[in-house]
Amino acid sequence: MAQASFAFDDAGVAASPVTSGTPQQGTGRHGRHPLAATAWAAADDSEPDEAWQIGWEHARHGLVPPPAHLLPGHPVRQGWDAGRLCFRQRTRTANHAVHAWLSLRLSTWQQGRAFEPVQVTPHYLSQLMQGRCPVLRQAVNDGTPTAAVGVVDAVNSSAGVAAGNLAMLSTAAWAARANRRWDEARLMAVVAEAHPDGEAEGLTSPQWARLAALLSYVTPLPHAVAASIPMRVLPTNRLRLLNPIQGLQALITLQLTHADWSERAAQLAALLPETQTELRSDFHLFFHSLLPRAWDGGRPADARALRERLEDAWAQPQVIRRWQRFASRLNAEQAEQLVTRAVKLGLAGKESMVQLHGAAQATEGWALETGGYGRSSVMRT
């Protein structure tokens, strides 16, 4: 079974060299550079390679690891010493994405969590840094006095730090999430709604609902359960939707971001089996219940405002009921086929892109079998 990975802003991201977490041939721990070999000779082979590579990458970019990792004999220090001998003054520029990447690698190693180093690069992280927390709808890392601090981390805490499981949220959203599952976050939305001040543990009911939806995208769920979840937040860039019905849900919703939405809706309806008249009828009922709520008061000129309007439309009971009636007539395989055919027709749009992954590829490096931890879950310093 395939999964859909939505990447909304690829067109606006300039290409840049990919920085791998693995030392290049001839210049790393296992390379042939004589200075690196000398520096590594005193290292303890029992220490994890990841820590050594983290130190190496700090040196590659002319950065100094945190003081706690510079003690003699520390594997990060050993990799940093080896890198400094190799690179000397021939270091690379460290932009914001590089700093975030190294910080993420270091914290992941300290916690004993799994980190997938091939796809998770500084360039990859730069595509996730959208400047706004999708849960709090607050600017992050833009230098303004009211901006929050945004951090890239794994959305599903039971999976590793890997491509498709990462997003940038504000630190307040991460703190609220803790290690909660999607259904626990949805319960917190109910608790917050019932609370006199409308909040629970720092988030409002709508914010908890958005967090619950985000967590559900990267959680393998039974088809009927996934079909019941309102899309209170649109998938963030590069997040992989593991449940096909949610891929279809996002694809249909996003048609309203295009000027030719009516023609697109007709094309989607044409993909439905002609013999299933009730399915087509339910699709039109759902789509035309979403439309007026998304454009209530006029179509927003700002793309972000339109996205948020679409998300808020999913809070309406009639939209949810009609979606669930339509989705209940499909199984996971049919939803997947509809997404695949829609992508081939170009209904993903020119400004957004949908990547379809096979089941094994979709969660590659996620370490689901170990709950997101590496071979050893020992906390490191």
Side-chain angles (χ1 to χ4, degrees):
M1 183 179 296
Q3 276 80 19
S5 174
F6 288 80
F8 295 112
D9 61 3
D10 277 3
V13 179
S16 66
V18 175
T19 304
S20 170
T22 304
Q24 301 298 312
Q25 178 67 24
T27 59
R29 171 181 172 181
H30 301 292
R32 301 174 182 173
H33 196 292
L35 293 179
T38 301
W40 180 252
D44 181 359
D45 279 333
S46 66
E47 291 290 354
D49 287 350
E50 176 67 9
W52 193 94
Q53 292 172 7
I54 291 169
W56 175 273
E57 292 295 346
H58 274 83
R60 184 198 296 274
H61 294 91
L63 301 174
V64 180
H69 303 282
L70 289 177
L71 297 175
H74 194 289
V76 173
R77 170 64 183 269
Q78 292 171 339
W80 182 62
D81 285 340
R84 285 194 301 158
L85 287 170
C86 290
F87 300 119
R88 298 188 184 275
Q89 302 302 316
R90 303 184 305 277
T91 58
R92 297 178 179 178
T93 301
N95 57 22
H96 180 61
V98 170
H99 283 273
W101 176 66
L102 288 172
S103 177
L104 180 60
R105 289 190 71 173
L106 191 57
S107 65
T108 300
W109 173 75
Q110 286 180 282
Q111 296 166 31
R113 296 159 63 198
F115 184 94
E116 196 289 301
V118 177
Q119 296 184 68
V120 182
T121 65
H123 177 54
Y124 182 88
L125 293 192
S126 72
Q127 298 176 9
L128 310 183
M129 297 177 180
Q130 302 181 51
R132 192 170 180 82
C133 173
V135 173
L136 270 60
R137 292 181 175 175
Q138 182 180 12
V140 293
N141 300 341
D142 68 357
T144 61
T146 58
V149 176
V151 177
V152 174
D153 207 336
V155 179
N156 182 347
S157 60
S158 296
V161 175
N165 188 36
L166 299 178
M168 185 173 75
L169 307 182
S170 65
T171 53
W174 285 124
R177 187 215 62 173
N179 290 321
R180 287 187 171 94
R181 302 188 308 268
W182 78 273
D183 52 340
E184 294 172 327
R186 186 169 66 171
L187 178 60
M188 292 301 297
V190 177
V191 172
E193 188 175 21
H195 201 274
D197 63 4
E199 290 189 1
E201 298 192 24
L203 298 187
T204 65
S205 181
Q207 289 169 344
W208 277 114
R210 291 194 285 270
L211 181 59
L214 196 68
L215 295 174
S216 74
Y217 301 151
V218 289
T219 305
L221 298 171
H223 173 75
V225 174
S228 70
I229 303 171
M231 188 155 277
R232 295 298 302 275
V233 65
L234 286 165
T236 56
N237 193 35
R238 295 290 185 181
L239 199 71
R240 293 180 185 167
L241 281 68
L242 301 185
N243 307 298
I245 193 64
Q246 291 182 310
L248 180 62
Q249 188 180 19
L251 188 65
I252 294 173
T253 303
L254 287 169
Q255 300 312 303
L256 288 171
T257 64
H258 300 275
D260 58 344
W261 59 267
S262 181
E263 179 182 346
R264 288 169 168 272
Q267 288 181 287
L268 278 172
L271 294 177
L272 302 173
E274 294 183 4
T275 56
Q276 298 186 29
T277 56
E278 291 184 345
L279 180 63
R280 288 193 170 200
S281 175
D282 287 341
F283 169 77
H284 287 296
L285 282 172
F286 157 68
F287 192 83
H288 288 92
S289 65
L290 183 66
L291 175 62
R293 290 163 177 80
W295 287 2
D296 186 24
R299 179 184 173 93
D302 181 70
R304 187 184 72 227
L306 178 56
R307 284 174 61 91
E308 293 180 357
R309 186 80 65 81
L310 288 168
E311 294 170 347
D312 291 342
W314 276 99
Q316 302 300 318
Q318 187 180 58
V319 172
I320 299 170
R321 284 196 305 269
R322 289 183 171 177
W323 162 255
Q324 290 175 346
R325 179 169 176 170
F326 166 70
S328 68
R329 298 185 185 275
L330 299 169
N331 58 36
E333 289 74 20
Q334 290 171 324
E336 178 188 323
Q337 291 169 6
L338 284 171
V339 172
T340 303
R341 294 175 65 189
V343 170
K344 290 181 179 178
L345 282 178
L347 293 178
K350 294 180 180 180
E351 296 179 358
S352 61
M353 182 180 67
V354 178
Q355 297 177 341
L356 298 176
H357 299 272
Q361 183 187 8
T363 56
E364 184 178 1
W366 286 38
L368 291 172
E369 67 283 357
T370 58
Y373 285 91
R375 287 173 295 180
S376 171
S377 59
V378 177
M379 293 287 289
R380 307 180 178 103
T381 57

